[in-house]
Amino acid sequence: MKFDSILSEIGGFGKFQMRLALIQILSRISLPCHFLLNNFMAAVPPHHCNITALDEGSVFGNLTRDQRPSVAVPSEQDGTLSSYQMFSKPQYQHVWLYDNSTFQSTLATEWDLVCSRKGMNKATVTFFFLGVMCGAPLFGVLSDRYGRRPLLLVSYMSSLMFAVLSAFSSSYVMFVIMRFFTGMALSGISIISIALNVEWCGIAHRTFSGIIISLDWTLGNMLLVGIAYNVHHWRMLIVAVTSPLILSILTWRWLPESARWLLANGKTDAARHYLLQCAKMNNRMKYMATITQTELLKMAHGETEEKKYTFLDLFKTPNIRKMSICLGIVWCGVALTYYGISLNITGFGLNPYLTQVIFASIEMPMKIGVYFFLEKVGRRSGEMGALLLTGLCLFINVFVANEKWIIRTVVAVIGKSMSEASFTIIFLYTTELFPTVIRQNGLGYTSFLARLGVSISPLIVLLEDVWHLLPAIIYCAVAVGSGLVSRLLPETLNTRLPESIEDIEKPRGQSTGNKEEM
């Protein structure tokens, strides 16, 4: 008897699974708040060099306050004052004045991360995602060894601690170090919560469950805009977006451990305890009466005797190797493009709050559409189409002037929705492509490469100093290239999930049936 057979009998998606998903919303909505926090925390308001020296003496006494900046600061082509230059005479100390009408205090205004130091501002998000990249394999290994539930608590508490420490950092160096560890801790919430939800859902409901879990990101996006609009100081903003983790710690006691993990580690008593909880809440106790402790022991014995696979098994055989390389390229491209758009909300000519609201609002209807598209058309066509359309939108905006902000925003919103669709699809697609015996290794490998792409993404924006169109062209090329690579992957619509590496190495027609067996 397989665990999925028991789970389908006691309820593959009932009240028990709904409670699990609802409890984890509290922690998962904090993920987009931190992942996209730099849009507001590190925003660069309009600024120019400090010209208070002009107030000294009577040389410029006949100039009005509005006329004095033009004496010291040159103008750009559009008539606005330069943010990076000033005339050599009169000479005075390089200090910047900021427009605080939109952002009261940001990283840029706190440590003057502008002009020659703007790279340090972009580096803050890179350090954060390097932490996420390092944390993913760490929490993956630890959760496999010690369980999902205790490591979730560790992730909750460490995320809260490092986030608060970063909010009260006394220097730039301390801040980036704390943000690195915050990203590392938050990665545990990201990967463990998904695994825990999937491991408690039956086969027939995993696609639906995956879409439901992804909606937490949309809710968190909207929450971030609301909090950022009302909290204008970057230190208090970090504290505010981290506060849901306090509720997560308080509700952690009601989270179940993964019964699959318990059986795989021979802990049948605890597994039976949680299975009884699930059956009772889903009103399926009658079936559990037929499941004896002996059967669970046999199941656990069978699980623990299986061969242990490693990361190296992703590259040992030809078909798995080809699939792993292609998926790694696609994941890196999807993440780099998605965050290239999401972390550049000031580049479309609209108020950053309004842009973020539009980006967040388009996600929910898009994800509903993705669900029906995947059921009718397939994963490969969906992934390739979403990435190619993302690249097309980025290409179109290269030729649209900044003054035509309506057109730029409409095209950007379409591109953002397609990029979000590619991210939603690739999560499901990857779990269906990798066989069961190396699925967790495969997800860890692709997640690592995705975070590598995210870490590079904000640094690409700095290439605008070389040529202002170069970042957009790079993002476009990466999206199109990743879309074409996804064409090399096999389709998984209406096919059985592969169980072993041999299922992948055999001809496709022999390894999968026409319809997934339920």
Side-chain angles (χ1 to χ4, degrees), residues 21-277:
L22 288 173
I23 291 175
Q24 295 206 89
I25 286 178
L26 296 172
S27 62
R28 288 188 57 80
I29 59 174
S30 65
L31 294 177
C33 289
H34 275 278
F35 281 35
L36 302 176
L37 186 59
N38 269 53
N39 281 336
F40 305 102
M41 176 181 67
V44 181
H47 57 281
H48 60 76
C49 297
N50 190 346
I51 56 172
T52 53
L54 296 180
D55 293 330
E56 301 175 0
S58 58
V59 178
F60 301 103
N62 61 329
L63 296 180
T64 67
R65 189 173 184 83
D66 293 334
Q67 289 173 332
R68 291 175 186 178
S70 62
V71 177
V73 182
S75 298
E76 301 286 0
Q77 294 181 356
D78 58 3
T80 59
L81 295 177
S82 174
S83 296
Y84 311 110
Q85 297 177 327
M86 67 179 183
F87 294 122
S88 59
K89 295 181 179 181
Q91 297 288 335
Y92 46 86
Q93 185 179 5
H94 283 227
V95 181
W96 286 268
L97 293 179
Y98 299 93
D99 179 2
N100 295 325
S101 59
T102 303
F103 301 101
Q104 181 181 342
S105 175
T106 68
L107 298 179
T109 63
E110 179 88 9
W111 291 304
D112 287 331
L113 305 181
V114 294
C115 300
S116 61
R117 304 180 71 191
K118 69 178 182 179
M120 295 172 65
N121 197 20
K122 296 292 184 184
T124 57
V125 70
T126 298
F127 276 104
F128 173 79
F129 281 111
L130 284 174
V132 176
M133 183 176 70
C134 295
L138 175 64
F139 275 97
V141 171
L142 292 177
S143 64
D144 277 342
R145 177 171 296 181
Y146 300 108
R148 280 63 164 130
R149 191 168 179 266
L151 264 296
L152 267 179
L153 181 61
V154 171
S155 187
Y156 292 162
M157 298 184 71
S158 56
S159 296
L160 181 62
M161 179 183 68
F162 288 122
V164 172
L165 286 174
S166 68
F168 295 98
S169 297
S170 57
S171 66
Y172 174 82
V173 174
M174 178 182 175
F175 175 77
V176 294
I177 292 174
M178 290 302 103
R179 285 298 285 171
F180 174 87
F181 286 112
T182 302
M184 180 179 287
L186 286 169
S187 67
I189 300 175
S190 177
I191 64 172
I192 298 174
S193 60
I194 291 178
L196 188 59
N197 275 281
V198 169
E199 287 170 348
W200 272 111
C201 287
I203 296 175
H205 303 92
R206 282 180 189 162
T207 302
F208 179 74
S209 176
I211 298 296
I212 291 296
I213 294 171
S214 70
L215 291 178
D216 295 344
W217 185 274
T218 303
L219 295 176
N221 246 331
M222 295 179 177
L223 178 66
L224 172 61
V225 180
I227 294 176
Y229 186 77
N230 292 282
V231 181
H232 299 150
H233 196 291
W234 69 270
R235 295 182 187 272
M236 292 301 102
L237 181 59
I238 294 178
V239 174
V241 300
T242 309
S243 58
L245 290 177
I246 299 175
L247 295 176
S248 299
I249 294 172
L250 295 176
T251 57
W252 170 83
R253 59 181 297 185
W254 291 294
L255 279 178
E257 180 56 273
S258 169
R260 292 178 190 266
W261 179 85
L262 290 169
L263 286 174
N265 287 271
K267 301 180 180 182
T268 56
D269 290 337
R272 182 174 176 81
H273 168 74
Y274 286 113
L275 287 171
L276 285 170
Q277 268 192 14

Side-chain angles (χ1 to χ4, degrees), residues 241-488:
V241 300
T242 309
S243 58
L245 290 177
I246 299 175
L247 295 176
S248 299
I249 294 172
L250 295 176
T251 57
W252 170 83
R253 59 181 297 185
W254 291 294
L255 279 178
E257 180 56 273
S258 169
R260 292 178 190 266
W261 179 85
L262 290 169
L263 286 174
N265 287 271
K267 301 180 180 182
T268 56
D269 290 337
R272 182 174 176 81
H273 168 74
Y274 286 113
L275 287 171
L276 285 170
Q277 268 192 14
C278 179
K280 183 177 180 180
M281 189 168 289
N282 292 342
N283 296 319
R284 298 289 186 89
M285 283 295 292
K286 185 177 180 180
Y287 178 79
M288 277 302 297
T290 64
I291 304 299
T292 64
Q293 191 78 8
T294 304
E295 290 180 341
L296 290 177
L297 283 170
K298 290 180 179 179
M299 190 184 302
H301 184 67
E303 294 282 350
T304 55
E305 279 192 340
E306 289 183 356
K307 174 187 174 183
K308 301 299 182 182
Y309 291 87
T310 67
F311 168 81
L312 296 177
D313 290 294
L314 296 173
F315 302 96
K316 285 183 177 179
T317 53
N319 289 346
I320 288 286
R321 181 167 55 246
K322 174 186 174 183
M323 191 172 68
S324 298
I325 293 173
C326 291
L327 278 172
I329 294 172
V330 174
W331 267 87
C332 187
V334 167
L336 187 146
T337 306
Y338 175 83
Y339 284 96
I341 298 173
S342 299
L343 295 174
N344 188 33
I345 62 174
T346 59
F348 304 108
L350 281 180
N351 179 285
Y353 299 107
L354 180 57
T355 305
Q356 189 71 28
V357 167
I358 295 173
F359 278 2
S361 301
I362 197 66
E363 288 186 8
M364 190 167 294
M366 179 279 303
K367 288 178 180 178
I368 295 173
V370 164
Y371 173 76
F372 291 104
F373 184 92
L374 294 178
E375 290 293 312
K376 298 295 182 181
V377 180
R379 283 65 161 144
R380 181 173 59 186
S381 299
E383 185 65 30
M384 181 176 65
L387 283 168
L388 292 180
L389 287 174
T390 300
L392 177 62
C393 291
L394 290 168
F395 181 74
I396 292 173
N397 259 353
V398 168
F399 300 99
V400 180
N402 290 334
E403 293 77 16
K404 299 179 179 179
W405 59 268
I406 296 179
I407 299 176
R408 284 183 62 84
T409 303
V410 171
V411 174
V413 167
I414 297 173
K416 172 63 165 59
S417 65
M418 291 297 102
S419 180
E420 179 71 30
S422 68
F423 229 136
T424 303
I425 295 170
I426 197 63
F427 267 107
L428 175 63
Y429 199 12
T430 303
T431 58
E432 293 177 336
L433 283 170
F434 282 118
T436 301
V437 293
I438 58 169
R439 188 167 292 134
Q440 194 67 28
N441 285 305
L443 287 170
Y445 153 74
T446 53
S447 295
F448 179 87
L449 290 179
R451 302 314 172 193
L452 178 62
V454 177
S455 302
I456 297 172
S457 185
L459 300 181
I460 292 177
V461 179
L462 297 176
L463 295 176
E464 65 184 2
D465 292 341
V466 179
W467 182 31
H468 71 286
L469 295 178
L470 187 56
I473 292 175
I474 291 175
Y475 289 132
C476 174
V478 170
V480 173
S482 301
L484 295 176
V485 170
S486 67
R487 183 70 179 83
L488 302 175

